[in-house]
Amino acid sequence: MRILITGAAGFLGSHLSDRLIAEGHEIVGLDNFITGNRENIAHLMGSDKFTFYRHDVSNYIFVPGKVDAVLHFASPASPNPKSPSGYFNLPIQTMKAGALGTHNSLGVAKVNQARFLLASTSEIYGDPLVHPQTEDYPGNVDPVGPRAVYDEAKRFAESLTMAYHRQHGVDTRIVRIFNTYGPRMDLEDGRALPNFLKQALLGQPLTVYGDGQQTRSFCYVDDLIDGIVRLLYSDEHLPVNIGNPVEMTVLQFAETINKVTGNAAGVVFLVNERSERDPQQRRPDITRARSILGWEPKVGVEEGLRRTIPYFKEKLGLA
Ligand code: NAD
Ligand code: UDP
């Protein structure tokens, strides 16, 4: 297939490009570098399997030649209010990437009669009142809350994707991605793993926000990409959760990182740093992914951290 990936220079978009090229596909990557990094795709530049266009997906997308699939991954993704690349600081760009960017990407899929896959998120469940989250749970969100620019853009993107499927017959898929980590994450984007791993490798205490009792489930990037590729090859049109169902508190996650890195500096609790509406609990129910895609994650958190550390060391000049 010739596959268009929006957000190709991002953490997930670049891994997806690698995996699909390895499977023999050709990739057309789009990115405006608002949160991504040229270095993530430097190794693909010059390959006859990879073409890149610098483009903002909020504007009309024209791709020369036939496209067989469109994977829409372009969007800021970090919820940290202090990070310049977080969606709190890019509110309008985030809404435009989710709304106009999804519309334009769906337009490319429609005109090409191509498959379409939307990168949605566990954030559409908001601060969930049902645990673990199944795909039929509609969520607990606030349209004017601080996270709304991201949540509501993604919720709109899901609705628009289903509208194109139902009205125009576009062959769509929706993946709801839960917290994912691995090499090529932006060290400065303020998410828990980049903050913690950077701090641990520098011998500093890990900044746990609040009391650290809020939970998350962290998925290693190779597992996530495998689930997404299986979804792309499937015929499933309704949303599918992809994430690691092993739930831990943020404090346990920090302690695991200290153990794996041998950091003796411990943790520091920053009680006022938790952002408003930071979800208290989050864990995917992956029953649908297991039954429809035959997928489940294989990489445990300690192994995933060991695979991620060399990248962080290189970026920190410690390699
Ligand atoms: P990222 O910031 O590394 O990648 C996003 C990419 O999209 C960046 O390269 C950025 O420059 C690009 N982009 C943003 N707006 C754009 C625009 N208007 N035009 C063109 N390019 C644009 O983030 P990521 O973690 O790789 O996330 C990728 C996708 O996966 C996002 O849609 C995000 O919402 C979703 N997601 C990620 C996670 C996760 O844990 N990483 C969880 C849930 C959902
Ligand atoms: N967090 C933390 N310390 C940090 C960064 C994040 O304790 O330095 C917490 C954050 O408050 C949240 C969890 O870790 O409860 C996961 O945050 P992240 O930004 O990775 O993504 P989210 O799951 O909130 O989308």
Side-chain angles (χ1 to χ4, degrees):
M1 290 193 283
R2 186 161 183 260
I3 302 175
L4 174 67
I5 300 184
T6 75
F11 164 49
L12 298 182
S14 63
H15 282 282
L16 205 47
S17 298
D18 286 348
R19 165 73 190 262
L20 291 168
I21 287 172
E23 294 203 359
H25 302 295
E26 185 186 333
I27 303 298
V28 179
L30 295 191
D31 207 294
N32 67 352
F33 300 115
I34 190 171
T35 61
N37 189 339
R38 275 173 201 285
E39 285 176 28
N40 290 340
I41 47 169
H43 61 291
L44 295 175
M45 294 298 197
S47 159
D48 59 359
K49 294 280 184 197
F50 187 78
T51 310
F52 181 78
Y53 297 101
R54 183 173 186 155
H55 182 73
D56 181 337
V57 294
S58 308
N59 299 320
Y60 183 84
I61 301 170
F62 171 73
V63 180
K66 176 91 177 82
V67 169
D68 304 299
V70 178
L71 312 189
H72 180 40
F73 277 67
S75 171
S78 167
N80 192 314
K82 295 217 169 129
S83 161
S85 62
Y87 56 71
F88 280 85
N89 293 311
L90 300 168
I92 297 173
Q93 291 95 327
T94 302
M95 294 218 76
K96 285 171 82 175
L100 305 178
T102 304
H103 189 215
N104 291 327
S105 304
L106 279 162
V108 177
K110 178 172 170 252
V111 77
N112 281 280
Q113 295 184 308
R115 288 181 209 184
F116 178 85
L117 185 145
L118 172 70
S120 185
T121 166
S122 53
E123 290 268 327
I124 65 103
Y125 299 120
D127 191 0
L129 304 176
V130 161
H131 192 74
Q133 290 78 54
T134 46
E135 287 88 346
D136 58 1
Y137 175 56
N140 174 33
V141 290
D142 174 358
V144 292
R147 289 182 172 239
V149 294
Y150 186 66
D151 302 352
E152 297 293 1
K154 290 288 188 181
R155 290 170 69 91
F156 174 86
E158 287 199 11
S159 303
L160 191 65
T161 300
M162 290 310 293
Y164 266 67
H165 174 64
R166 289 171 178 143
Q167 176 146 22
H168 295 309
V170 177
D171 188 10
T172 59
R173 288 138 187 82
I174 297 171
V175 56
R176 290 186 180 152
I177 301 169
F178 283 65
N179 296 60
T180 301
Y181 67 96
R184 299 192 196 146
M185 282 191 99
D186 175 2
L187 268 66
E188 304 304 326
D189 81 6
R191 284 187 260 191
L193 179 113
N195 277 4
F196 289 167
L197 198 46
K198 195 173 52 182
Q199 290 157 351
L201 293 172
L202 295 173
Q204 299 166 355
L206 274 51
T207 54
V208 172
Y209 297 167
D211 61 6
Q213 293 307 304
Q214 67 272 33
T215 68
R216 294 292 187 275
S217 319
F218 295 93
C219 187
Y220 185 64
V221 63
D222 288 359
D223 279 334
L224 179 94
I225 297 295
D226 188 52
I228 291 172
V229 170
R230 284 173 190 244
L231 180 61
L232 176 68
Y233 294 161
S234 81
D235 291 323
E236 182 57 41
H237 302 301
L238 291 172
V240 179
N241 290 336
I242 300 282
N244 194 315
V246 177
E247 181 180 1
M248 58 178 74
T249 66
V250 167
L251 178 58
Q252 284 168 337
F253 188 50
E255 285 168 343
T256 306
I257 291 177
N258 276 338
K259 181 179 142 203
V260 172
T261 55
N263 181 31
V267 304
V268 57
F269 292 96
L270 302 180
V271 281
N272 296 323
E273 287 291 318
R274 262 190 92 185
S275 62
E276 204 187 321
R277 292 211 168 238
D278 184 31
Q280 183 60 25
Q281 279 187 309
R282 187 187 284 157
R283 168 156 66 99
D285 182 316
I286 61 164
T287 307
R288 271 169 59 73
R290 276 198 180 102
S291 63
I292 297 169
L293 310 176
W295 175 87
E296 63 182 0
K298 297 191 177 76
V299 183
V301 69
E302 293 196 13
E303 171 61 16
L305 287 170
R306 277 190 281 275
R307 293 192 197 180
T308 308
I309 286 169
Y311 176 82
F312 274 69
K313 280 192 169 166
E314 187 196 316
K315 288 284 157 193
L316 292 168
L318 302 171

